[in-house]
Amino acid sequence: MFEFSEEAIKRYSRHILLPEVGGTGQQRINEARVLLVGAGGLGAPAAYYLAAAGVGTLGVVDGDTVELSNLQRQIIHSMADLGKNKGQSARETIEGLNTDVRVVTHQERLTSKNIFPILKDYDVVMDGTDNFPTRYLVNDACVLSGKPLSTGAVFRFHGQVMTIIPGEGPCYRCLFREPPPPGMTASCEEAGVLGVLPGMIGILQATEILKIILNEGSLLKGRLLSYEALEMEFRTIKVRRDPECPVCGDHPTIKELIDYEEFCRVNF
Amino acid sequence: MSDEIKIDKEINIKGEVCPYTFVKTKLALEAMKAGQVLKVIVDHLPATENVPRTLKSEGNEILEVSRINEGDWQIITRKGNR
Ligand SMILES: [Zn+2]
């Protein structure tokens, strides 16, 4: 028997009505523990919708504070949050939306030292990070610990999303083996982004996370979804697991996490 | 007819309107096993059409829809395999 309150039945009725969700699926959502790496452009909209969906525990890793230049796209923060830690700000917004959700803030940057102790309390991970060192660290840690991961990135008018199910499909390194060397990445001056773009990509990631929780539909597993906002085109590109991949390949060489050096923080 | 049907569970959701009539029916049914029979009491007339229609489309069998008094109806359904 379900133990939904009258309020929960009303709040989640549009989910419960879906044959693919129902009371069973909603209960899974309410019990799920999702770790959001970053409450920035991608994490902000994802956190908002996952909280609305009733995800039981939302962990937010972010060591940054809310700045005015974030508000062009990071919709979970507002003027009153300027200067606050982003996780804290996200928690306060979510408290006003849905008190079923427990928000846990990790007000620090992920490193090879702290990532496993944080990951162990979560079932699914969303990478909404703004830098290569963290992106690779999260990918490697998820592969090594077998946690499903949604990874997303945005740049100017372009975005991409992929879902990584360790042991079942390729990882981020199968696609891009190493982080680009310094000087090959966009400089801070080139790092503009249309504000709605991370909204689109972050919500696609949140959708994948809900599908993972529900075990429904076809994931972007082995498929990279690429979105061009100017042309308004979506494309999916097949990605195979690379047998030579240093972390998920047949003879992995990465057995310990790497803290790559950071070049320029562009703060998506 | 309902005299012969063994009811495994009964819910009274008088006062509820669509779509909550179906939401509550569905929640009750989800907690039951395939083949079991659920009786739902409603007092919201549109529910006597909407609830059976959706139950059917989701693979359940409608055994009976009938008025039981001045303002109340019963919907009796057998849970499908889906
Ligand atoms: Zn790989």
Side-chain angles (χ1 to χ4, degrees):
Chain A
M1 205 44 225
F2 298 110
E3 284 171 19
F4 292 116
S5 63
E6 283 298 308
E7 196 187 282
I9 290 174
K10 296 262 180 325
R11 181 185 284 272
Y12 304 119
S13 56
R14 267 44 172 196
H15 271 168
I16 296 169
L17 284 170
L18 293 168
E20 293 80 359
V21 183
T24 311
Q26 186 58 46
Q27 197 164 37
R28 289 176 89 152
I29 296 172
N30 292 143
E31 289 166 1
R33 303 170 304 168
V34 176
L35 182 68
L36 303 169
V37 182
L42 300 168
Y48 223 149
Y49 271 104
L50 292 173
V55 166
T57 304
L58 270 182
V60 182
V61 191
D62 209 314
D64 290 348
T65 53
V66 179
E67 294 172 21
L68 197 52
S69 66
N70 301 150
L71 302 187
Q72 169 245 24
R73 63 202 176 284
Q74 301 179 14
I75 58 166
I76 208 160
H77 314 300
S78 60
M79 288 297 287
D81 300 317
L82 294 175
K84 271 185 208 161
N85 170 268
K86 286 189 182 176
Q88 174 63 24
S89 164
R91 177 164 66 194
E92 290 172 15
T93 306
I94 289 168
E95 277 166 359
L97 172 68
N98 189 354
T99 50
D100 294 348
V101 182
R102 188 172 70 101
V103 179
V104 180
T105 64
H106 303 275
Q107 304 189 12
E108 57 199 320
R109 274 202 82 180
L110 286 180
T111 66
S112 60
K113 305 275 178 302
N114 67 9
I115 190 166
F116 283 129
I118 292 175
L119 273 187
K120 74 167 178 10
D121 293 329
Y122 298 93
D123 312 308
V124 196
V125 182
M126 163 167 165
D127 177 21
T129 199
D130 53 6
N131 63 83
F132 285 107
T134 310
R135 183 180 306 279
Y136 280 83
L137 181 70
V138 170
N139 176 74
D140 296 352
C142 285
V143 170
L144 293 174
S145 60
K147 305 263 180 189
L149 164 69
S150 165
T151 181
V154 289
F155 182 68
R156 295 184 172 181
F157 295 92
H158 171 79
Q160 56 189 39
V161 195
M162 192 167 93
T163 301
I164 294 156
I165 310 291
E168 293 181 25
C171 78
Y172 193 72
R173 276 190 196 272
C174 295
L175 193 60
F176 306 110
R177 188 172 294 191
E178 298 287 335
M184 290 299 285
T185 52
S187 71
C188 292
E189 292 73 26
E190 296 170 313
V193 65
L194 190 72
V196 293
L197 178 74
M200 169 69 85
I201 300 299
I203 287 165
L204 289 172
Q205 290 185 266
T207 309
E208 288 287 276
I209 283 169
L210 289 173
K211 284 159 58 190
I212 291 171
I213 294 167
L214 295 168
N215 197 20
E216 286 288 341
S218 307
L219 297 168
L220 287 170
K221 183 173 76 180
R223 291 188 295 152
L224 178 77
L225 178 66
S226 155
Y227 169 59
E228 294 288 350
L230 280 181
E231 280 74 38
M232 197 48 86
E233 275 194 331
F234 286 91
R235 246 172 275 175
T236 53
I237 301 145
K238 273 218 156 61
V239 181
R240 281 180 218 290
R241 189 184 71 94
D242 179 358
E244 311 270 285
C245 173
V247 66
C248 82
D250 296 340
H251 307 285
T253 52
I254 296 174
K255 287 165 184 155
E256 270 179 40
L257 297 172
I258 305 164
D259 290 308
Y260 288 104
E261 226 175 287
E262 178 167 19
F263 329 119
C264 167
R265 289 203 69 196
V266 285
N267 235 316
F268 287 128
Chain B
M1 183 184 166
S2 58
D3 301 336
E4 305 144 30
I5 305 169
K6 179 180 161 283
I7 307 289
D8 294 292
K9 188 175 182 169
E10 179 174 332
I11 56 168
N12 182 330
I13 50 171
K14 285 163 64 170
E16 291 292 354
V17 297
C18 298
Y20 304 108
T21 42
F22 184 72
V23 170
K24 291 198 167 180
T25 302
K26 180 170 171 170
L27 286 174
L29 213 51
E30 266 189 73
M32 295 169 67
K33 293 190 187 76
Q36 287 191 316
V37 175
L38 172 70
K39 178 161 141 182
V40 184
I41 311 286
V42 296
D43 61 2
H44 175 64
L45 183 57
T48 61
E49 285 199 15
N50 297 338
V51 172
R53 191 186 333 120
T54 318
L55 281 171
K56 228 174 148 178
S57 78
E58 295 197 1
N60 307 288
E61 190 185 347
I62 304 304
L63 302 177
E64 188 176 330
V65 181
S66 56
R67 192 167 178 168
I68 50 175
N69 61 44
E70 198 52 37
D72 303 335
W73 287 263
Q74 63 178 5
I75 301 162
I76 301 176
T77 180
R78 189 190 306 279
K79 182 172 173 162
N81 291 319
R82 242 186 274 168

